[in-house]
Amino acid sequence: MEPFKIHILGCGSALPTLRHYSSSQVVEIRGKQFMIDCGEGTQMQLRRSRIRFTKLSAVFISHLHGDHCFGLIGMISTFGLLGRTAKLDVYAPAALEQMLDEQMRLYCHGLEFEVVFHVVDTTQQQVIYEDRSLTVESVPLEHRVPCCGFLFKEKPTMPHIKRDMMDFYHIPVSQIYNIKGGADWMTPEGEVIPNSRLVEPVEPARSYAYCSDTRYIPTLYERIKGVTALYHESTYGEDCIQHAEKYYHSTALQAAMVARDAQVGKLLLGHYSSRYEDENVLLEEAKKVFEDSFLCDEQMIFEL
């Protein structure tokens, strides 16, 4: 199975600490790498993670709070210094486009690559990126500014032919595509060979939902039902639920409720408030509702 990995570069919230970097992740899928959010320090974390700068093909920005986008212009500048020539796609709310253009005029003279900006409507769930192997959808969230999450969905693959069975039944090469598509085979004697005997089982398609800053949305689970893994912000514990409500954030327990209702494979917790010296208190709250909950930490890699 092709790799599908989530590289955690930063999982802290707005106030910088010595323990956590601002929000950023890299999704690695089938040889392609996509960045989600780009807070301060992202470049250093890329270095530590040994992720090649040149392999990043797109950046998805969830919203325009600094801890999710202050690192973008610095990273673009560094790409220029490294001699990048491949275009970089940036998907973000509309308000970032003019600001990014002005920053690039000031700080990024002579870039030899194109930065292509794609406006994301944070109020709609829709496909914003697609290639032969995956789609990326926007997921509307509720925060103090326009904000959305991102849903990465692997496209199903076709099954592998069992060559020995093809040879045994003398099935012509011209029929391979039909059999991969689910067709049975009938021998000259009229015996029907079921498709399951001719192909290897297909690996189930994987998916990953990234739910950035948001207050608890009771219906959010409907948009991300059954994903292999869910990252959901868990800024606070239940001891600070009033802060969560005031600042449009979620508690770890609320994140677990979304994971439970969506029947996800695993829940990744992050975007911790700086008030917590030990995030295990958040993990314990989440596990009361959803057992397969995990704390994110810098340099962690989750494989789907």
Side-chain angles (χ1 to χ4, degrees), residues 64 92-100 117 119:
L64 303 192
L96 180 62
E97 184 172 17
Q98 182 179 351
M99 290 187 287
L100 186 60
F117 193 91
V119 173

Side-chain angles (χ1 to χ4, degrees), residues 137-296:
E137 298 176 22
S138 55
V139 179
L141 299 174
E142 297 179 9
H143 196 40
R144 302 191 307 280
V145 298
C147 182
C148 69
F150 301 105
L151 175 57
F152 290 74
K153 298 171 68 175
E154 186 178 40
K155 291 183 178 180
T157 57
M158 298 190 80
H160 294 291
I161 293 290
K162 293 181 179 178
R163 175 55 61 183
D164 56 340
M165 299 301 286
M166 297 288 289
D167 294 341
F168 182 81
Y169 289 108
H170 304 292
I171 301 174
V173 173
S174 62
Q175 295 302 307
I176 287 180
Y177 187 81
N178 292 334
I179 291 172
K180 281 189 173 186
D184 299 327
W185 173 252
M186 181 177 290
T187 67
E189 295 74 28
E191 179 185 3
V192 176
I193 310 302
N195 182 266
S196 59
R197 292 176 59 183
L198 303 174
V199 297
E200 299 287 350
V202 179
E203 295 286 353
R206 297 159 291 180
S207 54
Y208 175 59
Y210 174 91
C211 291
S212 182
D213 296 16
T214 182
R215 67 177 179 179
Y216 172 60
I217 306 174
T219 57
L220 178 59
Y221 76 93
E222 297 172 353
R223 299 183 180 276
I224 56 173
K225 195 81 172 179
V227 296
T228 310
L230 163 66
Y231 171 90
H232 193 293
E233 73 119 291
S234 50
T235 308
Y236 298 108
E238 290 300 296
D239 60 316
C240 292
I241 192 166
Q242 291 182 332
H243 284 78
E245 292 171 352
K246 179 179 180 180
Y247 297 112
Y248 278 56
H249 283 297
S250 299
T251 68
L253 186 143
Q254 290 172 332
M257 290 166 62
V258 174
R260 176 198 64 197
D261 296 343
Q263 299 178 334
V264 308
K266 65 176 66 172
L267 169 64
L268 313 183
L269 304 172
H271 200 266
Y272 315 121
S273 168
S274 60
R275 72 181 59 236
Y276 297 102
E277 292 292 331
D278 183 357
E279 292 89 16
N280 278 297
V281 63
L282 303 178
L283 181 62
E284 291 171 5
E285 289 185 1
K287 280 182 170 289
K288 291 177 183 177
V289 174
F290 190 77
E291 179 61 30
D292 290 322
S293 299
F294 302 87
L295 291 174
C296 287

Side-chain angles (χ1 to χ4, degrees), residues 8-69:
I8 307 299
L9 304 183
C11 56
S13 57
L15 189 63
T17 73
L18 295 176
R19 296 171 51 246
H20 293 300
Y21 280 76
S22 299
S23 294
S24 187
Q25 300 182 5
V26 168
V27 177
E28 178 185 349
I29 176 171
R30 297 191 185 181
K32 296 180 284 289
Q33 293 180 349
F34 306 93
M35 177 173 286
I36 310 176
D37 283 337
C38 188
E40 290 181 89
T42 294
Q43 293 185 72
M44 295 300 297
Q45 292 298 85
L46 284 173
R47 292 289 194 195
R48 291 190 177 99
S49 300
R50 300 189 182 279
I51 294 173
R52 292 174 59 189
F53 282 44
T54 55
K55 293 201 69 176
L56 287 173
S57 59
V59 181
F60 296 85
I61 302 295
S62 63
H63 66 291
L64 303 192
H65 278 164
D67 55 321
H68 294 259
C69 63

